[in-house]
């Protein structure tokens, strides 16, 4: 698409009329966020006069929606990872002759088979979104949440009663397909409801609950196993997941909103688009002063599952776009950061029960309690990844005359550059040399801190840069991360057996440091890289239609 150029970058020293700046399309995150004279924050995107516009909802209601999203996200990982705490007893249940003391070889082969319950779930959580995200972008967030959680709830109930290996594996695979939607659609919903200057803080809660879901699942699952068999974990989870489904059905509205682009034609030139959009903005203001404001929808009408089609783009294009987006350097880097934090956490949780039991003689519930450190790390990571990232970006925005570029958020990656490698070293060295159990436990806390802090900064960065296709960007990042975690889980135990905990996790620490450090060249040359990569032939297909523009 040679006729599909990026909007001309804003000049901090050359202020254009506000209506023209708001009318720009394909900005790749280059927006004016502060007024050049008053230095006040400018609301991006610009809200309409419609009370049904999510940007106009009260702050209380917006944060209520964010709370539902976070709870849904937490429960997705609760059952995906939580039962791994009882992987030993699960193995002995499905393979009665598998005993680590009586027949270590058979036990080892059996536990590898049981690990498929969790690795396949993690894989489907990511790859299943190649279906869910296009559906959410074309038909809405509400139907996607409800349908996916309906599948998740049904599978959770199924797993309470299935005692065959094949049936249980099938149930876990389908459960992963249903459970993954909330993980990827949540960032789109947050971008629907919150303004640009609020996004980092709210996204920090999202990434925190993404991490908390694993820790919460581990802790609760471990406590359940004190007095009950491991299947009770699924019974408790079924009730919790079902409660979230009911909460979403009765109180979660559609957050996608079609902004007025009636005067924009896809065949128009960029200059025409700007002028026509400016005219549309002016016309909207005139109409707003003459006409009665739109009526707020009733509660009953908000319960409709399907509201309207959101874009004219084909489902095929929506499905294929993430495959092209992953070639964009900022998106690829963000996916790699997710992989060396969340992906390495998958490596840790895949054998944490075995490691702590062999090294410290811990029971499953004691291993679960070690994940309290993960909860603490996640909570500390919220302000470090959210408010701190916003403060860094806002400080650099002020220095740039009020004009924001997505790269201004990247210096906030410094804390994770330290904590992610340190976490993996503490865990590997602690287990290898049988140091006090607090050593690898602190590693768990620091790794979860890095997940919340670092992944939030890089994910908000790419969403800011490619906001109209935020869903596909998140899918590209999360899908790559899930595939990485799935493949890594197959090799973790063999890698540790051959190299030892210290060497295996030492290599992981080095890889994480190199990947996270790449924020430096992106901070320096990221804008040029984004503009140059937009013209690559392989990227041309992912250019979005004008009806995907959202005003930033």
């Amino acid at each position: 698409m040679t006729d599909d150029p990026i909007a001309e970058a804003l000049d901090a020293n050359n202020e254009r009329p506000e209506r023209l700046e708001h009318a720009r399309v394909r900005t790749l995150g280059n927006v004016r966020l502060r007024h050049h004279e008053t230095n006040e924050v400018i609301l991006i995107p610009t809200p309409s006069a419609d009370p049904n516009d999510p940007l106009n909802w009260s702050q209380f209601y917006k944060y209520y929606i964010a709370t539902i999203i976070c709870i849904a996200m937490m429960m997705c990982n609760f059952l995906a990872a939580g039962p791994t705490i009882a992987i030993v007893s699960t193995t002995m249940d499905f393979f009665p002759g598998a005993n680590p003391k009586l027949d270590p070889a058979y036990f080892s082969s059996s536990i590898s088979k049981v690990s498929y319950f969790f690795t396949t779930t993690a894989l489907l959580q990511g790859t299943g979104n190649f279906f869910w995200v296009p559906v959410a972008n074309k038909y809405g967030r509400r139907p996607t949440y409800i349908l996916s959680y309906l599948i998740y709830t049904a599978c959770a109930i199924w797993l309470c009663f299935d005692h065959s290996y094949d049936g249980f594996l099938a149930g876990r695979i389908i459960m992963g397909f249903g459970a993954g939607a909330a993980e990827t659609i949540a960032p789109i919903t947050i971008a629907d409801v919150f303004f640009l200057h609020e996004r980092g803080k709210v996204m920090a809660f999202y990434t925190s609950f993404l991490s908390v879901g694993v820790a919460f699942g581990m802790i609760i699952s471990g406590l359940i196993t004190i007095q009950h068999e491991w299947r009770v974990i699924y019974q408790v989870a079924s009730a919790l997941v079902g409660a979230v489904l009911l909460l979403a059905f009765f109180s979660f509205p559609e957050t996608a909103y079609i902004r007025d682009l009636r005067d924009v034609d896809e065949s128009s030139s960029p200059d025409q688009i700007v002028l026509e959009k400016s005219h549309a903005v002016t016309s909207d203001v005139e109409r707003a002063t003459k006409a009665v404001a739109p009526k707020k929808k009733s509660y009953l009408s908000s319960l409709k599952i399907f509201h309207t089609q959101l874009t004219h783009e084909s489902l095929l294009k929506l499905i294929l776009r993430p495959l092209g987006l992953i070639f964009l350097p900022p998106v690829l880097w963000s996916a790699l950061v997710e992989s060396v934090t969340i992906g390495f956490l998958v490596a840790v949780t895949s054998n944490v029960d075995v490691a702590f039991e062999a090294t410290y003689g811990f029971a499953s519930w004691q291993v679960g309690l070690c994940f309290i450190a993960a909860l603490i790390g996640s909570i500390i990571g919220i302000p470090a990844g959210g408010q701190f990232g916003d403060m860094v970006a806002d400080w650099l925005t002020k220095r740039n005359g009020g004009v924001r570029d997505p790269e201004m958020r990247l210096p906030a990656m410094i804390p994770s550059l330290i904590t992610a490698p340190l976490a993996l070293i503490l865990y590997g060295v602690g287990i290898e040399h049988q140091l006090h159990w607090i050593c690898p436990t602190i590693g768990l806390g620091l790794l979860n801190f890095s997940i919340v802090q670092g992944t939030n900064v890089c994910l908000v960065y790419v969403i800011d840069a490619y906001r109209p296709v935020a869903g596909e960007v998140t899918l590209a990042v999360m899908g790559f991360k899930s595939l990485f975690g799935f493949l890594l889980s197959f090799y973790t135990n063999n890698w540790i057996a051959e190299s030892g905990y210290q060497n295996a996790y030492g290599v992981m620490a080095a890889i994480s440091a190199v990947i996270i450090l790449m924020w430096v060249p992106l901070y320096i040359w990221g804008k040029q890289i984004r503009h140059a990569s937009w013209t690559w032939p392989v990227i041309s297909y992912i250019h979005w239609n004008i009806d995907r523009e959202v005003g930033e």
Side-chain angles (χ1 to χ4, degrees), residues 100-298:
K101 296 180 180 179
L102 300 179
D103 192 348
Y106 182 54
F107 174 78
S108 179
S109 63
S110 299
I111 206 168
S112 296
K113 293 178 181 177
V114 171
S115 68
Y116 293 157
F117 292 160
F118 310 106
T119 55
T120 54
T121 298
L123 177 64
L124 265 295
Q125 277 185 306
T127 57
N129 281 308
F130 281 93
F131 170 79
W132 293 120
V133 170
V135 169
N137 282 329
K138 194 167 182 69
Y139 300 111
R141 313 338 176 199
R142 178 172 165 79
T144 309
Y145 273 115
I146 291 175
L147 179 57
S148 63
Y149 243 79
L150 189 62
I151 295 173
Y152 186 16
T153 305
C155 288
I157 296 171
W158 167 7
L159 293 170
C160 293
F161 303 100
D162 200 312
H163 289 261
S164 68
Y165 176 84
D166 292 340
F168 201 88
L169 179 60
R172 291 280 308 187
I173 291 172
I174 300 173
M175 186 193 79
F177 174 74
E183 178 179 319
T184 308
I185 300 172
I188 318 175
T189 309
I190 290 170
D192 287 340
V193 174
F194 291 92
F195 294 105
L196 174 61
H197 69 281
E198 303 171 316
R199 198 172 295 157
K201 179 174 65 175
V202 182
M203 280 292 293
F205 282 95
Y206 156 75
T207 53
S208 175
F209 275 77
L210 175 67
S211 177
V212 163
V214 176
F216 183 65
M218 290 283 192
I219 295 169
I220 299 301
S221 298
L223 293 175
I224 288 172
T225 60
I226 297 176
Q227 297 290 340
H228 304 280
E229 65 166 349
W230 63 269
R231 288 185 183 274
V232 176
I233 298 172
Y234 289 87
Q235 296 169 14
V236 173
S238 297
L240 294 175
V241 172
V244 173
L245 173 61
L246 292 175
L247 189 66
F249 182 83
F250 288 107
S251 64
F252 184 85
E254 178 56 62
T255 61
Y257 183 80
I258 301 176
R259 307 206 172 271
D260 190 359
L261 294 174
R262 290 168 297 178
D263 299 318
V264 179
D265 190 303
E266 185 69 32
S267 62
S268 303
S269 68
D271 291 337
Q272 288 175 320
I273 290 174
V274 168
L275 293 174
E276 288 167 354
K277 285 190 70 180
S278 303
H279 178 70
V281 171
T282 304
S283 300
D284 284 343
V285 173
E286 293 173 352
R287 281 194 295 270
T289 59
K290 297 177 182 178
V292 179
K295 292 183 179 180
K296 186 174 179 61
K297 292 180 180 178
S298 67

Side-chain angles (χ1 to χ4, degrees), residues 65 159 451 468:
I65 292 170
L159 293 170
I451 289 172

Side-chain angles (χ1 to χ4, degrees), residues 26 36 46 56 236 248 304 404 409 503:
R26 298 186 177 91
H36 70 294
T46 305
N56 291 326
V236 173
K304 287 174 57 180
R404 166 72 63 85
R409 192 176 296 273
N503 291 338

Side-chain angles (χ1 to χ4, degrees), residues 34 39 393-403 408:
R34 285 188 173 272
N39 202 35
D394 191 48
W395 183 74
L396 291 170
T397 300
K398 291 177 182 177
R399 287 173 57 93
N400 195 41
V403 175
M408 293 176 182

Side-chain angles (χ1 to χ4, degrees), residues 48 58 74 91-92 181 242 321 329 351 358 360-361 419 489-490 493:
S48 67
S58 69
M74 180 181 71
T91 301
M92 296 174 71
R321 178 175 283 129
N351 80 332
Y360 305 111
T419 57
S489 63
F490 278 102
N493 290 323

Side-chain angles (χ1 to χ4, degrees), residues 25 32 34 41 54 58 65 77 79 104 118 134 148 183 203 227-228 291 300 303 311 328 343 349 354 372 470 482 519:
V25 296
R32 182 173 296 280
R34 285 188 173 272
V41 173
S58 69
I65 292 170
N77 280 336
L79 200 50
F118 310 106
S148 63
E183 178 179 319
M203 280 292 293
Q227 297 290 340
H228 304 280
L300 289 178
L303 293 181
T311 178
L328 293 170
T349 57
V354 177
I372 292 176
S482 296
W519 74 263

